[in-house]
Amino acid sequence: METSIVGVGVSISDRFRGIVDEKAARIEHLAPRAQRVDVKVTHRAYHNGQREDSTVELTLTGKGPLVRAEAVDGDKFTALDLAVDKLAEQLRRAKDKRVGARKHPRGAHLDKGTGAIQGTDLHPASADVLHAVATGEVPIITGAEDEENYTPVVIRTKHFDAEWMTVEDAVDRMELVGHDFFLFIDVRTDHPSVVYRRKGWDYGQISLATIAPPAEELAS
């Protein structure tokens, strides 16, 4: 796994680089599909001159979603340790979710032993109902009015308040609510967007490129 270290207001010593390489080995063990970890160290000195701190930001990229962690401390080595611990905890939680999803898959599935359909509100019809359908005993609704109003599609509508957030935050919210997709407004573009789950660590994003209607339409 590649490592990149950038210092803002602080020089990066060989000792610090060596420790980052050691931490990268730990991260790679938790995320074998990761390809690169970017380390940004920012040193801040406040106006009174009595307080200084260092912020260490870690960004992990690879075949999967972006993973970020950040920590602040007066000592950049301590901040690095804290940031690595946070990143490791996020990776462990993500791994537990994947393992749980494999053991308890979402969606409907058939229990071959009992014939019951698990994970859905649908229930198999009894033998009596099947016999009634086969023999025509089940009443059939007729009439032109009923046929005009009939539709096999049931559309349920829900309305939510729009929320502006980054793609990364949207993925985190999707994981928290346990859904396969999440609607939001992308703060970078102000476009309505949706993130959705693919396979493994893979996620996708779809955005609507909003275009203002022609002036004549607005006038009408």
Side-chain angles (χ1 to χ4, degrees):
M1 182 174 63
E2 297 181 11
T3 59
S4 172
I5 308 175
V6 176
V8 179
V10 61
S11 60
I12 304 300
S13 64
D14 291 339
R15 179 189 170 206
F16 190 85
R17 292 182 184 277
I19 294 178
V20 168
D21 289 339
E22 294 177 4
K23 302 295 184 182
R26 175 188 175 192
I27 294 172
E28 188 174 15
H29 177 71
L30 294 171
R33 299 180 65 189
Q35 297 173 339
R36 177 187 176 95
V37 58
D38 293 302
V39 182
K40 181 180 179 182
V41 184
T42 304
H43 179 76
R44 292 185 179 87
Y46 296 87
H47 296 298
N48 56 17
Q50 297 179 355
R51 181 185 171 193
E52 298 181 0
D53 63 35
S54 294
T55 301
V56 174
E57 303 172 60
L58 303 178
T59 304
L60 189 65
T61 55
K63 296 181 179 179
L66 227 58
V67 183
R68 286 196 179 102
E70 178 181 315
V72 182
D73 193 85
D75 178 71
K76 63 177 177 290
F77 292 94
T78 303
L80 175 63
D81 287 338
L82 295 173
V84 170
D85 287 343
K86 289 182 179 180
L87 189 69
E89 181 60 26
Q90 290 176 230
L91 293 172
R92 290 192 189 96
R93 288 202 304 267
K95 181 178 180 181
D96 290 343
K97 288 178 182 178
R98 294 195 304 274
V99 172
R102 287 196 296 268
K103 292 182 177 179
H104 306 285
R106 290 185 296 270
H109 60 278
L110 176 66
D111 187 333
K112 295 182 179 179
T114 63
I117 301 176
Q118 306 293 336
T120 179
D121 293 334
L122 298 177
H123 300 281
S126 65
D128 293 338
V129 171
L130 294 175
H131 177 74
V133 171
T135 57
E137 295 178 9
V138 174
I140 300 175
I141 300 176
T142 59
E145 181 178 352
D146 292 328
E147 291 178 359
E148 290 178 359
N149 295 332
Y150 171 77
T151 172
V153 180
V154 178
I155 301 177
R156 297 179 181 177
T157 303
K158 292 184 178 180
H159 297 277
F160 300 93
D161 294 332
E163 293 186 67
W164 275 255
M165 63 182 68
T166 64
V167 176
E168 294 77 20
D169 289 338
V171 170
D172 289 340
R173 290 283 296 278
M174 180 182 69
E175 292 289 356
L176 287 174
V177 299
H179 291 170
D180 291 326
F181 66 94
F182 188 84
L183 297 168
F184 67 105
I185 306 295
D186 194 330
V187 295
R188 299 186 181 95
T189 62
D190 280 337
H191 290 169
S193 304
V194 59
V195 291
Y196 60 97
R197 190 192 312 276
R198 299 180 70 187
K199 292 182 179 180
W201 284 19
D202 291 341
Y203 299 86
Q205 179 188 7
I206 299 175
S207 299
L208 296 178
T210 55
I211 301 176
E216 58 267 24
E217 291 187 15
L218 293 175
S220 62

